[in-house]
Amino acid sequence: MSAIDLTSSQKNILTALVNLHRDTETTVKGETIAEEIDRNPGTIRNQMQSLKALQLVEGVPGPKGGYKPTVTAFEVLDIDQLDEPAAVPLTHNDETIDDANIQEIDLSSVHHPEQCRAKIHIQGSVRDYQNGDHMVVGPTPVAKLAIEGMVDGIDRTNNILILQVEQIEAPLGEATH
């Protein structure tokens, strides 16, 4: 399959559609997407035409209609579609987030403690997160790794939180796979 290059606007809209569709498992109205990413509903409708042409979105007509992402949309956004993904707990400012699911944790510059960062790729919106928020991610299902830190950056297009890592915990003596 050839790579599809999306504009940042198309990627924002498609990401919002995927997140909202996952939450409701039904069609998503253009107005709901517009509200999620703070855009004009007309802009969403215009962009949906190009996303439909790229076969990333299906339009469903009628009063209960709206938009649904195609399988290709998940591939283009590099999102795994797991029927039963393993849950990774997420705590945001001491409040457990039940509907968040962590897709990927990328630790960078671990060797440099003052600059240790973690990229946390969340399946779902990062709209409610702010720089300076306290986060705990984990423990992960296999390695039982838990990461604690402060939000230091937010990539809203890709649903990624950048954490300034304060602490990484893993149980001693447990084998990791």
PDB file of all heavy atoms in Angstrom, residues 13-36:
ATOM      1  N   ILE A  13      -8.525  16.049  11.846  1.00  0.00           N
ATOM      2  CA  ILE A  13      -9.923  15.642  11.673  1.00  0.00           C
ATOM      3  C   ILE A  13     -10.044  14.127  11.739  1.00  0.00           C
ATOM      4  O   ILE A  13     -10.914  13.592  12.429  1.00  0.00           O
ATOM      5  CB  ILE A  13     -10.489  16.201  10.351  1.00  0.00           C
ATOM      6  CG1 ILE A  13     -10.635  17.724  10.455  1.00  0.00           C
ATOM      7  CG2 ILE A  13     -11.818  15.554  10.001  1.00  0.00           C
ATOM      8  CD1 ILE A  13     -10.883  18.425   9.139  1.00  0.00           C
ATOM      9  N   LEU A  14      -9.160  13.416  11.046  1.00  0.00           N
ATOM     10  CA  LEU A  14      -9.209  11.958  11.034  1.00  0.00           C
ATOM     11  C   LEU A  14      -8.938  11.388  12.424  1.00  0.00           C
ATOM     12  O   LEU A  14      -9.616  10.448  12.861  1.00  0.00           O
ATOM     13  CB  LEU A  14      -8.209  11.415  10.011  1.00  0.00           C
ATOM     14  CG  LEU A  14      -8.351   9.955   9.631  1.00  0.00           C
ATOM     15  CD1 LEU A  14      -9.744   9.664   9.073  1.00  0.00           C
ATOM     16  CD2 LEU A  14      -7.288   9.560   8.624  1.00  0.00           C
ATOM     17  N   THR A  15      -7.964  11.965  13.133  1.00  0.00           N
ATOM     18  CA  THR A  15      -7.659  11.519  14.497  1.00  0.00           C
ATOM     19  C   THR A  15      -8.859  11.732  15.410  1.00  0.00           C
ATOM     20  O   THR A  15      -9.222  10.848  16.191  1.00  0.00           O
ATOM     21  CB  THR A  15      -6.417  12.261  15.040  1.00  0.00           C
ATOM     22  OG1 THR A  15      -5.310  11.987  14.183  1.00  0.00           O
ATOM     23  CG2 THR A  15      -6.074  11.819  16.451  1.00  0.00           C
ATOM     24  N   ALA A  16      -9.495  12.898  15.306  1.00  0.00           N
ATOM     25  CA  ALA A  16     -10.677  13.179  16.123  1.00  0.00           C
ATOM     26  C   ALA A  16     -11.794  12.194  15.786  1.00  0.00           C
ATOM     27  O   ALA A  16     -12.470  11.675  16.696  1.00  0.00           O
ATOM     28  CB  ALA A  16     -11.149  14.612  15.909  1.00  0.00           C
ATOM     29  N   LEU A  17     -11.996  11.916  14.508  1.00  0.00           N
ATOM     30  CA  LEU A  17     -13.034  10.964  14.101  1.00  0.00           C
ATOM     31  C   LEU A  17     -12.764   9.589  14.704  1.00  0.00           C
ATOM     32  O   LEU A  17     -13.666   8.951  15.260  1.00  0.00           O
ATOM     33  CB  LEU A  17     -13.115  10.874  12.573  1.00  0.00           C
ATOM     34  CG  LEU A  17     -14.035   9.774  12.014  1.00  0.00           C
ATOM     35  CD1 LEU A  17     -15.483   9.994  12.443  1.00  0.00           C
ATOM     36  CD2 LEU A  17     -13.917   9.694  10.504  1.00  0.00           C
ATOM     37  N   VAL A  18     -11.531   9.118  14.603  1.00  0.00           N
ATOM     38  CA  VAL A  18     -11.178   7.797  15.143  1.00  0.00           C
ATOM     39  C   VAL A  18     -11.419   7.769  16.649  1.00  0.00           C
ATOM     40  O   VAL A  18     -12.011   6.826  17.176  1.00  0.00           O
ATOM     41  CB  VAL A  18      -9.714   7.434  14.783  1.00  0.00           C
ATOM     42  CG1 VAL A  18      -9.230   6.251  15.601  1.00  0.00           C
ATOM     43  CG2 VAL A  18      -9.597   7.137  13.293  1.00  0.00           C
ATOM     44  N   ASN A  19     -10.970   8.812  17.367  1.00  0.00           N
ATOM     45  CA  ASN A  19     -11.160   8.858  18.824  1.00  0.00           C
ATOM     46  C   ASN A  19     -12.636   8.847  19.192  1.00  0.00           C
ATOM     47  O   ASN A  19     -13.061   8.108  20.085  1.00  0.00           O
ATOM     48  CB  ASN A  19     -10.501  10.106  19.418  1.00  0.00           C
ATOM     49  CG  ASN A  19      -8.997  10.059  19.326  1.00  0.00           C
ATOM     50  OD1 ASN A  19      -8.398   9.003  19.196  1.00  0.00           O
ATOM     51  ND2 ASN A  19      -8.376  11.222  19.392  1.00  0.00           N
ATOM     52  N   LEU A  20     -13.423   9.686  18.530  1.00  0.00           N
ATOM     53  CA  LEU A  20     -14.852   9.787  18.838  1.00  0.00           C
ATOM     54  C   LEU A  20     -15.581   8.499  18.456  1.00  0.00           C
ATOM     55  O   LEU A  20     -16.467   8.038  19.183  1.00  0.00           O
ATOM     56  CB  LEU A  20     -15.463  10.992  18.114  1.00  0.00           C
ATOM     57  CG  LEU A  20     -14.994  12.357  18.624  1.00  0.00           C
ATOM     58  CD1 LEU A  20     -15.321  13.454  17.611  1.00  0.00           C
ATOM     59  CD2 LEU A  20     -15.610  12.667  19.982  1.00  0.00           C
ATOM     60  N   HIS A  21     -15.206   7.911  17.336  1.00  0.00           N
ATOM     61  CA  HIS A  21     -15.824   6.654  16.902  1.00  0.00           C
ATOM     62  C   HIS A  21     -15.526   5.542  17.898  1.00  0.00           C
ATOM     63  O   HIS A  21     -16.386   4.727  18.219  1.00  0.00           O
ATOM     64  CB  HIS A  21     -15.330   6.272  15.503  1.00  0.00           C
ATOM     65  CG  HIS A  21     -15.847   4.960  15.020  1.00  0.00           C
ATOM     66  ND1 HIS A  21     -17.160   4.768  14.664  1.00  0.00           N
ATOM     67  CD2 HIS A  21     -15.235   3.765  14.858  1.00  0.00           C
ATOM     68  CE1 HIS A  21     -17.330   3.503  14.290  1.00  0.00           C
ATOM     69  NE2 HIS A  21     -16.175   2.881  14.400  1.00  0.00           N
ATOM     70  N   ARG A  22     -14.309   5.505  18.422  1.00  0.00           N
ATOM     71  CA  ARG A  22     -13.938   4.498  19.422  1.00  0.00           C
ATOM     72  C   ARG A  22     -14.769   4.651  20.689  1.00  0.00           C
ATOM     73  O   ARG A  22     -15.146   3.675  21.312  1.00  0.00           O
ATOM     74  CB  ARG A  22     -12.470   4.650  19.785  1.00  0.00           C
ATOM     75  CG  ARG A  22     -11.569   3.927  18.864  1.00  0.00           C
ATOM     76  CD  ARG A  22     -10.263   3.722  19.578  1.00  0.00           C
ATOM     77  NE  ARG A  22      -9.543   2.704  18.876  1.00  0.00           N
ATOM     78  CZ  ARG A  22      -8.254   2.738  18.659  1.00  0.00           C
ATOM     79  NH1 ARG A  22      -7.557   3.733  19.109  1.00  0.00           N
ATOM     80  NH2 ARG A  22      -7.653   1.781  18.027  1.00  0.00           N
ATOM     81  N   ASP A  23     -15.008   5.911  21.081  1.00  0.00           N
ATOM     82  CA  ASP A  23     -15.786   6.171  22.297  1.00  0.00           C
ATOM     83  C   ASP A  23     -17.226   5.701  22.141  1.00  0.00           C
ATOM     84  O   ASP A  23     -17.803   5.145  23.067  1.00  0.00           O
ATOM     85  CB  ASP A  23     -15.787   7.666  22.642  1.00  0.00           C
ATOM     86  CG  ASP A  23     -14.426   8.149  23.135  1.00  0.00           C
ATOM     87  OD1 ASP A  23     -13.568   7.301  23.447  1.00  0.00           O
ATOM     88  OD2 ASP A  23     -14.242   9.369  23.199  1.00  0.00           O
ATOM     89  N   THR A  24     -17.828   5.952  20.971  1.00  0.00           N
ATOM     90  CA  THR A  24     -19.256   5.703  20.792  1.00  0.00           C
ATOM     91  C   THR A  24     -19.550   4.429  20.003  1.00  0.00           C
ATOM     92  O   THR A  24     -20.650   3.898  20.094  1.00  0.00           O
ATOM     93  CB  THR A  24     -19.916   6.870  20.031  1.00  0.00           C
ATOM     94  OG1 THR A  24     -19.332   6.954  18.722  1.00  0.00           O
ATOM     95  CG2 THR A  24     -19.734   8.183  20.765  1.00  0.00           C
ATOM     96  N   GLU A  25     -18.580   3.946  19.208  1.00  0.00           N
ATOM     97  CA  GLU A  25     -18.733   2.803  18.317  1.00  0.00           C
ATOM     98  C   GLU A  25     -19.920   2.979  17.368  1.00  0.00           C
ATOM     99  O   GLU A  25     -20.608   2.027  17.011  1.00  0.00           O
ATOM    100  CB  GLU A  25     -18.832   1.496  19.110  1.00  0.00           C
ATOM    101  CG  GLU A  25     -17.542   1.188  19.839  1.00  0.00           C
ATOM    102  CD  GLU A  25     -17.531  -0.172  20.503  1.00  0.00           C
ATOM    103  OE1 GLU A  25     -18.394  -1.002  20.182  1.00  0.00           O
ATOM    104  OE2 GLU A  25     -16.651  -0.383  21.334  1.00  0.00           O
ATOM    105  N   THR A  26     -20.186   4.218  16.995  1.00  0.00           N
ATOM    106  CA  THR A  26     -21.253   4.531  16.057  1.00  0.00           C
ATOM    107  C   THR A  26     -20.763   5.644  15.131  1.00  0.00           C
ATOM    108  O   THR A  26     -19.616   6.077  15.234  1.00  0.00           O
ATOM    109  CB  THR A  26     -22.541   4.932  16.820  1.00  0.00           C
ATOM    110  OG1 THR A  26     -23.568   5.185  15.874  1.00  0.00           O
ATOM    111  CG2 THR A  26     -22.331   6.137  17.701  1.00  0.00           C
ATOM    112  N   THR A  27     -21.625   6.093  14.238  1.00  0.00           N
ATOM    113  CA  THR A  27     -21.231   7.187  13.354  1.00  0.00           C
ATOM    114  C   THR A  27     -21.045   8.468  14.158  1.00  0.00           C
ATOM    115  O   THR A  27     -21.629   8.637  15.227  1.00  0.00           O
ATOM    116  CB  THR A  27     -22.289   7.421  12.260  1.00  0.00           C
ATOM    117  OG1 THR A  27     -23.526   7.697  12.886  1.00  0.00           O
ATOM    118  CG2 THR A  27     -22.413   6.225  11.342  1.00  0.00           C
ATOM    119  N   VAL A  28     -20.221   9.356  13.626  1.00  0.00           N
ATOM    120  CA  VAL A  28     -19.909  10.619  14.315  1.00  0.00           C
ATOM    121  C   VAL A  28     -20.325  11.768  13.406  1.00  0.00           C
ATOM    122  O   VAL A  28     -19.962  11.806  12.233  1.00  0.00           O
ATOM    123  CB  VAL A  28     -18.396  10.703  14.626  1.00  0.00           C
ATOM    124  CG1 VAL A  28     -18.064  12.012  15.328  1.00  0.00           C
ATOM    125  CG2 VAL A  28     -17.946   9.506  15.454  1.00  0.00           C
ATOM    126  N   LYS A  29     -21.074  12.686  13.951  1.00  0.00           N
ATOM    127  CA  LYS A  29     -21.543  13.845  13.181  1.00  0.00           C
ATOM    128  C   LYS A  29     -20.397  14.839  12.981  1.00  0.00           C
ATOM    129  O   LYS A  29     -19.529  14.988  13.841  1.00  0.00           O
ATOM    130  CB  LYS A  29     -22.704  14.524  13.899  1.00  0.00           C
ATOM    131  CG  LYS A  29     -23.914  13.622  14.048  1.00  0.00           C
ATOM    132  CD  LYS A  29     -25.188  14.409  13.974  1.00  0.00           C
ATOM    133  CE  LYS A  29     -26.407  13.519  13.971  1.00  0.00           C
ATOM    134  NZ  LYS A  29     -26.592  12.725  12.780  1.00  0.00           N
ATOM    135  N   GLY A  30     -20.431  15.531  11.845  1.00  0.00           N
ATOM    136  CA  GLY A  30     -19.412  16.540  11.546  1.00  0.00           C
ATOM    137  C   GLY A  30     -19.353  17.619  12.609  1.00  0.00           C
ATOM    138  O   GLY A  30     -18.269  18.110  12.948  1.00  0.00           O
ATOM    139  N   GLU A  31     -20.507  18.003  13.156  1.00  0.00           N
ATOM    140  CA  GLU A  31     -20.547  19.037  14.198  1.00  0.00           C
ATOM    141  C   GLU A  31     -19.787  18.594  15.451  1.00  0.00           C
ATOM    142  O   GLU A  31     -19.148  19.399  16.121  1.00  0.00           O
ATOM    143  CB  GLU A  31     -22.002  19.374  14.581  1.00  0.00           C
ATOM    144  CG  GLU A  31     -22.786  20.067  13.484  1.00  0.00           C
ATOM    145  CD  GLU A  31     -23.313  19.107  12.405  1.00  0.00           C
ATOM    146  OE1 GLU A  31     -23.293  17.864  12.602  1.00  0.00           O
ATOM    147  OE2 GLU A  31     -23.718  19.612  11.345  1.00  0.00           O
ATOM    148  N   THR A  32     -19.868  17.289  15.775  1.00  0.00           N
ATOM    149  CA  THR A  32     -19.173  16.759  16.948  1.00  0.00           C
ATOM    150  C   THR A  32     -17.665  16.831  16.732  1.00  0.00           C
ATOM    151  O   THR A  32     -16.913  17.206  17.643  1.00  0.00           O
ATOM    152  CB  THR A  32     -19.609  15.300  17.213  1.00  0.00           C
ATOM    153  OG1 THR A  32     -21.038  15.263  17.293  1.00  0.00           O
ATOM    154  CG2 THR A  32     -19.018  14.775  18.499  1.00  0.00           C
ATOM    155  N   ILE A  33     -17.226  16.497  15.524  1.00  0.00           N
ATOM    156  CA  ILE A  33     -15.791  16.580  15.200  1.00  0.00           C
ATOM    157  C   ILE A  33     -15.343  18.039  15.266  1.00  0.00           C
ATOM    158  O   ILE A  33     -14.288  18.345  15.837  1.00  0.00           O
ATOM    159  CB  ILE A  33     -15.510  15.983  13.802  1.00  0.00           C
ATOM    160  CG1 ILE A  33     -15.870  14.503  13.780  1.00  0.00           C
ATOM    161  CG2 ILE A  33     -14.052  16.207  13.404  1.00  0.00           C
ATOM    162  CD1 ILE A  33     -15.909  13.892  12.393  1.00  0.00           C
ATOM    163  N   ALA A  34     -16.149  18.938  14.708  1.00  0.00           N
ATOM    164  CA  ALA A  34     -15.824  20.370  14.709  1.00  0.00           C
ATOM    165  C   ALA A  34     -15.650  20.875  16.138  1.00  0.00           C
ATOM    166  O   ALA A  34     -14.714  21.623  16.440  1.00  0.00           O
ATOM    167  CB  ALA A  34     -16.924  21.163  13.996  1.00  0.00           C
ATOM    168  N   GLU A  35     -16.539  20.438  17.025  1.00  0.00           N
ATOM    169  CA  GLU A  35     -16.466  20.858  18.424  1.00  0.00           C
ATOM    170  C   GLU A  35     -15.206  20.302  19.099  1.00  0.00           C
ATOM    171  O   GLU A  35     -14.527  20.997  19.848  1.00  0.00           O
ATOM    172  CB  GLU A  35     -17.714  20.337  19.148  1.00  0.00           C
ATOM    173  CG  GLU A  35     -17.951  20.934  20.500  1.00  0.00           C
ATOM    174  CD  GLU A  35     -19.282  20.450  21.062  1.00  0.00           C
ATOM    175  OE1 GLU A  35     -20.338  20.811  20.494  1.00  0.00           O
ATOM    176  OE2 GLU A  35     -19.246  19.698  22.055  1.00  0.00           O
ATOM    177  N   GLU A  36     -14.879  19.053  18.796  1.00  0.00           N
ATOM    178  CA  GLU A  36     -13.721  18.385  19.402  1.00  0.00           C
ATOM    179  C   GLU A  36     -12.415  19.102  19.064  1.00  0.00           C
ATOM    180  O   GLU A  36     -11.535  19.230  19.906  1.00  0.00           O
ATOM    181  CB  GLU A  36     -13.669  16.928  18.925  1.00  0.00           C
ATOM    182  CG  GLU A  36     -12.451  16.153  19.369  1.00  0.00           C
ATOM    183  CD  GLU A  36     -12.423  15.813  20.848  1.00  0.00           C
ATOM    184  OE1 GLU A  36     -13.460  15.876  21.524  1.00  0.00           O
ATOM    185  OE2 GLU A  36     -11.324  15.497  21.333  1.00  0.00           O
TER     186      GLU A  36
END
